[in-house]
Amino acid sequence: MKKIFAVVALSALVATVAYAGSAPKTGINGSLHDINAAAGYTDDALQRTCVFCHTPHNAQNTAMAPLWNHAPSTQTLTAYTWASPANAAIAFAPDPLIGPSRLCQACHDGITAVDSHGTAASIPTGSTIMTSSYVDALGNTAKRYIDDLSVTHPIGFQYSDAFTARGATELVPATSGFIADGQSATLLAAAFNTNARGALATTPKKINDTLYGGFMTCASCHDVHNSVNAAPDAGHNYNYFLLAQEEGSAICLSCHVK
């Protein structure tokens, strides 16, 4: 991954090179999650893409992901601190990196080698960590790794707790789908009004589908396999692996009614 959303970040997914398969919904090969295609990292000797995270045999024994093949992150991070007293009842898991977030951090923590993976028929394995920065669209320097959860969209909490605390006038039910690509600015503006949301088209993927045991994680916003994520409107060029577009803040409005 090259980014965790700020909602959840997360600007770390910004690409500096246009890879052949980096467009949304084109799959993992050639995407920003294809380490073989990323400059500065050690390629897999057999040019396998999936091997940096998965292996068919002799995988790590983890319940968080099938056939996991990457060194786990040992990082300990402080959870986000709620700014609103109304959120005080929304508890975080003991480990805010619960579920796939811990796996995402195996590349995005700035201390674990992105290009390391199981050694069977895959020598050499890499030792390059994600420490580089880039200049974002606003001219600011942004990191490509996460070492402080207090400045990202909160993860590691139960979405149902948030819905109970904030209510249907501020959050949509977890049975709702993400806002589909290509909605008009007028319809997206109406999404700020909970009574007008019914006019928005949504994707088959529901918020519930992206939760880990009900917990919000990195994968609640990002499609790591680049297969069902949102494509930008014509004239825009980005791929943050998001499940809804940046245009009109569709990714934010998929959950929030603000």
Side-chain angles (χ1 to χ4, degrees):
M1 300 178 188
K2 301 294 182 193
K3 162 183 173 184
I4 293 181
F5 191 44
V7 96
V8 209
L10 284 119
S11 46
L13 284 172
V14 174
T16 56
V17 178
Y19 300 127
S22 64
K25 299 184 178 73
T26 56
I28 191 73
N29 280 323
S31 77
L32 297 174
H33 281 168
D34 181 353
I35 304 306
N36 295 317
Y41 296 109
T42 301
D43 291 356
D44 174 64
L46 300 180
Q47 288 292 293
R48 295 168 295 182
T49 305
C50 301
V51 73
F52 290 95
C53 292
H54 304 285
T55 182
H57 306 292
N58 301 313
Q60 295 181 32
N61 185 15
T62 174
M64 293 184 291
L67 302 174
W68 192 245
N69 195 42
H70 195 93
S73 174
T74 58
Q75 190 179 45
T76 300
L77 295 176
T78 302
Y80 185 92
T81 300
W82 297 115
S84 172
N87 294 336
I90 308 173
F92 289 99
D95 179 8
L97 293 175
I98 187 171
S101 297
R102 174 67 62 184
L103 305 179
C104 296
Q105 282 298 93
C107 284
H108 285 275
D109 63 0
I111 59 176
T112 306
V114 174
D115 46 9
S116 64
H117 54 286
T119 57
S122 60
I123 302 297
T125 186
S127 59
T128 310
I129 62 176
M130 187 182 293
T131 58
S132 62
S133 299
Y134 66 97
V135 178
D136 66 17
L138 299 178
N140 299 317
T141 299
K143 295 180 299 188
R144 294 191 184 278
Y145 59 95
I146 300 296
D147 59 4
D148 184 358
L149 290 180
S150 70
V151 294
T152 75
H153 185 286
I155 54 175
F157 65 90
Q158 288 274 346
Y159 189 89
S160 59
D161 289 349
F163 188 81
T164 298
R166 306 306 306 197
T169 59
E170 293 197 33
L171 289 175
V172 303
T175 53
S176 303
F178 287 83
I179 295 175
D181 296 359
Q183 304 295 292
S184 72
T186 300
L187 287 177
L188 287 168
F192 283 85
N193 180 342
T194 186
N195 296 320
R197 292 184 68 91
L200 285 169
T202 57
T203 66
K205 182 174 282 296
K206 311 299 184 186
I207 295 170
N208 262 339
D209 299 333
T210 70
L211 302 176
Y212 179 82
F215 284 95
M216 183 91 175
T217 73
C218 300
S220 299
C221 292
H222 300 281
D223 167 30
V224 299
H225 295 118
N226 196 41
S227 56
V228 296
N229 47 326
D233 284 346
H236 294 172
N237 181 24
Y238 65 82
N239 182 16
Y240 304 147
F241 295 161
L242 293 172
L243 295 170
Q245 290 180 313
E246 291 277 25
E247 287 87 353
S249 294
I251 182 62
C252 304
L253 294 174
S254 289
C255 293
H256 294 276
V257 182
K258 291 292 186 182

